[in-house]
Amino acid sequence: MRTLVIFGMAVAMSLGLSSASLAQAPRQPHAGEIAADLRRLGVTGSVLYVAAHPDDENTRLLAYLAGGRGLRAGYLSLTRGDGGQNLIGTEQDELLGLIRTYELLAARRVDGAEQLFTRARDFGYSKSADETLRIWGREQVLADVVLAIRRFRPDVIITRFTTLPPNHGQHTASALLAEEAFTAAADPSRFPEQLGEVKPWKTDRLLNNVSTWNLKPDADMSAYLKLDVGGYDPLLGRSWGEISAESRSQHKSQGFGVPAERGTQLDYFKALAGTQPKSDVFEGLELSWRRWGGTEQVIRTIDEAVNGFDARAPHKSVPALLRVHEALSALPDSNPWKAIKLRETEDLVAACAGLFLEARAAEAMAVPGSQVALNLVALNRSPAAFRLVGVTLPGGESVSAGAELADNKPFKLSRTVAIPEAARISTPYWLRKPVAGGLYALDEQDRALVGRPEGEPALSVTFLYEVGGKRFSVVQPVVYAWTDPVRGELYRAFEIAPAITATLDREVLMFPNGAAQSVSVVLAAGRADAEGKVRLELPAGWRAEPAEVPFKLAARGEERTVRFQVTPPKGASERGRLRVVVESGGRSESWRVRSVTHEHIPPQTVRQPSEAALVPFTLATKVRRIGYIPGPGDRVAESLAAVGYEVTLLPEERLASEKLEGFEAIVVGVRAFNANQRLALHRERLMRYVEQGGRLIVQYNTNSRVGPLNASLGPYPLEIGRDRVTDETAAMTPVDPNLPLLKGPNRLTAADFEGWVQERGLYFASKWDERYKPVFAMNDPGEEPLRGGLLVARHGKGTFVYTGIAFFRQLPAGVPGAYRLLANLLAQ
């Protein structure tokens, strides 16, 4: 039985390298941006920046390369950031990786670079590149890096990190792989299976972007190449430092909002391989059309388009751009920039005319076998003569239009299209298969998407238009738009949904002491008049009552919660799996849906088989009433409630008035004092609570140069460091085996520390008063034991605990020993 009182946490239930998300609202470039993009037509150079995670990239450099130099700039993030921490919600693991993917895409929309990935998973902090490459699979991730280079074809590769420890192992691994891929990408004998799609590519030089955050102000940087990336573009009205700050501030889940920078800003570089520039990063590189013969006409027509641009009448540049297009079309297909610049030119033709093309669905989603109404709009917002030839609808039907697109008069077309019975259910392509190990596993039909930020749109429409005697086609993903009364018009990708989803309220179901648990399943209808029955598939010996539940949902979108009583076999101790099965319309399916909704990214939906872990275990508790001061990205309170504790949330605004003596223990969530500086105002009241006999457990907070901890956490002096133990199998050696909290109410053994996930703990105490007693010594391989992961002190009649042990990961993952250890701490 679980009780949760005042628990307010929400439970969030183009295939090119463009960084534009499928679900972004349309945006018309202004005249300054068009002028800047015209200049870029004459630049044929590219730079690929390589690092390990979202937020590792140097956004100031990317903004400068793309905007200031007009280069094609890309960021290859080896992972999607699943192993990080979340300041804006409770999402962890793959859902956090989903958020951070779209934060990267939002950042690239700002700084103008493109976004690439590999299949590597961020499995959490690693202390060595060897461990990282072993978990990832060195050859597999190297293949992905090589593929990214062969697709992107950079002239220069820049690494964020060096190959030298100490560093985050994934950081070091990103530099090692970039260095190896620099050579391998040019070698046709390496990964020859890729050569059906791409050709070997020889990058001219490999550089390291020298880190300066730890250097003294007077450090001698004369040995390094340098770039001033702090320039200002009057066409945009902003400096690269200002654009960079907006870009970097998209990494909201990591708390990486930064101030704008103005004035001279130097970045430093070290040449690692390839040609060796002496004074300038791009020394000796021809990055214009002059690098190839036979491009004189291309150069001439681009110069004419740039020089003839009228910011007050961009449409007058359309004829000049058509001449650029004609000159580019005459180049041989072997020219690596031909297709890229043709696409850029076509985008500029549309931008100069203010051309708006949209395919909007009447509903946010539809199920296979149903129909959806589409509303198409084509609008020429200029005097230029455009003609809509026709459109190709999803499924391949061509509709002739033959309509002149008169100045600012929209052409509209409505059609109803059928969703095939075999249509794939929409979900992020890298999350279709179960997530485990070091790499995302992809369906065979998704293999071509390796490294892409997003998958294919559920539906798309091709618009064919004519201008100046030339025909161009534009493929637009079908979107859904709605109006929020506060935020205005919003967009999301149109999706294919199952006819019925059956979503469990929890992904891990804990069964303490063999007690039966109520399991809730939320049924949601993707179509009207949905009926059938739902049942649970359980391991042998487990029972569900009732055996099945019939249902009928009359309207699309209607929901109904059904409950089962699930009982484990007597004496069960092994984990199992539960699967929810829906039988409806002659089909047997299992789908759950999880939604990720934050204001700074488009809404995202993950659809996977509806399953949960079943975890029977023994748990003794001595207290019941728990007060919980929430921290960011924290599901500990929810997990405690699920095993029978009565949990009351105590946000900062309640602490001043709440009668703390009514709680048998109070737990402070992870990074609560970092996230809310006002919590320090309540420190004395919390210490009095302990002094009068209360139990206070403070989970980890961070303390660093960029994020100092300004609050005193405990009753006695205590300093928080950056020590951690990343090996989740590290031995947990009791400092004093006779310590009461190791013996009751749960007698802890080595078995309680098996099956942990990602890490033992982080941000351990580095110094402490002798009145704190360390409980465990633990260490990563080859390191000295650390004792600051769990400290206990008596204060007056009560007990204070500081812990860096990662309960915030272990409890949601269903680790029995973590529940038993925390129960003992709560009971002291």
Side-chain angles (χ1 to χ4, degrees), residues 151-432:
R151 280 176 175 165
F152 197 79
R153 296 179 293 202
D155 297 292
V156 179
I157 295 173
I158 301 176
T159 61
R160 166 79 285 182
F161 303 105
T162 74
T163 59
L164 302 175
N167 206 333
H168 189 326
Q170 294 179 19
H171 291 170
T172 308
S174 73
L176 288 166
L177 290 169
E179 199 166 294
E180 189 172 352
F182 174 81
T183 302
D187 184 350
S189 70
R190 298 301 305 275
F191 311 108
E193 69 278 3
Q194 298 177 0
L195 301 184
E197 175 196 347
V198 293
K199 295 180 180 179
W201 179 260
K202 182 175 178 55
T203 302
D204 187 88
R205 62 190 57 158
L206 175 69
L207 308 175
N208 172 243
N209 186 191
V210 178
S211 299
T212 58
W213 52 74
N214 288 325
L215 297 178
K216 295 180 180 179
D218 59 349
D220 181 9
M221 305 298 288
S222 59
Y224 300 114
L225 303 165
K226 63 183 179 182
L227 275 179
D228 180 4
V229 298
Y232 171 81
D233 190 341
L235 288 174
L236 306 179
R238 296 202 292 173
S239 68
W240 310 123
E242 290 169 317
I243 292 171
S244 163
E246 182 185 347
S247 172
R248 188 154 187 78
S249 296
Q250 301 307 307
H251 295 299
K252 300 183 189 302
S253 64
Q254 300 302 103
F256 272 9
V258 296
E261 295 176 315
R262 300 171 183 87
T264 299
Q265 300 289 333
L266 296 179
D267 260 304
Y268 296 91
F269 304 86
K270 179 181 179 180
L272 301 177
T275 58
Q276 300 288 305
K278 302 299 183 184
S279 59
D280 182 79
V281 167
F282 299 108
E283 178 182 298
L285 296 180
E286 176 58 71
L287 302 178
S288 75
W289 283 107
R290 291 179 178 84
R291 65 195 292 183
W292 291 285
T295 58
E296 294 79 10
Q297 183 66 9
V298 172
I299 295 169
R300 185 162 42 253
T301 55
I302 290 174
D303 286 344
E304 290 172 357
V306 171
N307 295 331
F309 181 67
D310 182 351
R312 292 187 175 275
H315 69 277
K316 293 180 179 178
S317 292
V318 170
L321 285 167
L322 295 178
R323 290 191 290 274
V324 172
H325 196 276
E326 185 175 356
L328 288 168
S329 298
L331 295 176
D333 290 342
S334 59
N335 188 297
W337 283 91
K338 176 180 178 179
I340 295 169
K341 292 302 178 180
L342 280 171
R343 185 177 68 241
E344 289 181 11
T345 304
E346 292 166 15
D347 289 345
L348 277 166
V349 169
C352 285
L355 187 64
F356 178 80
L357 303 172
E358 183 180 76
R360 184 181 294 195
E363 302 288 343
M365 59 193 69
V367 303
S370 68
Q371 295 184 323
V372 61
L374 301 183
N375 297 304
L376 314 183
V377 175
L379 175 62
N380 169 24
R381 292 175 285 190
S382 78
F386 277 68
R387 179 173 173 269
L388 182 66
V389 178
V391 296
T392 302
L393 299 173
E397 179 190 356
S398 293
V399 179
S400 233
E404 301 298 327
L405 297 179
D407 185 4
N408 214 31
K409 292 182 173 58
F411 171 88
K412 297 182 178 181
L413 177 68
S414 295
R415 283 288 190 276
T416 297
V417 299
I419 308 296
E421 287 283 359
R424 293 182 90 192
I425 301 300
S426 298
T427 201
Y429 77 87
W430 65 95
L431 297 180
R432 284 192 185 277

Side-chain angles (χ1 to χ4, degrees), residues 51-135:
H53 309 108
D55 73 36
D56 284 345
E57 76 273 28
N58 183 339
T59 55
R60 186 176 63 190
L61 177 61
L62 290 174
Y64 166 79
L65 293 171
R69 300 294 290 256
L71 297 162
R72 185 185 183 202
Y75 174 45
L76 173 59
S77 177
L78 267 60
T79 77
R80 296 177 186 263
D82 323 56
Q85 294 158 52
N86 187 355
L87 279 175
I88 61 173
T90 60
E91 298 91 351
Q92 292 182 18
D93 303 318
E94 66 263 31
L95 291 188
L96 177 58
L98 184 64
I99 291 172
R100 298 186 72 188
T101 293
Y102 282 87
E103 288 178 337
L104 277 173
L105 288 173
R108 300 294 81 81
R109 254 170 86 93
V110 173
D111 60 38
E114 299 174 24
Q115 186 59 53
L116 305 85
F117 291 100
T118 74
R119 289 169 293 161
R121 284 188 60 233
D122 178 2
F123 55 83
Y125 193 91
S126 171
K127 292 184 178 178
S128 77
D130 287 343
E131 179 194 48
T132 294
L133 294 171
R134 184 181 71 252
I135 292 173

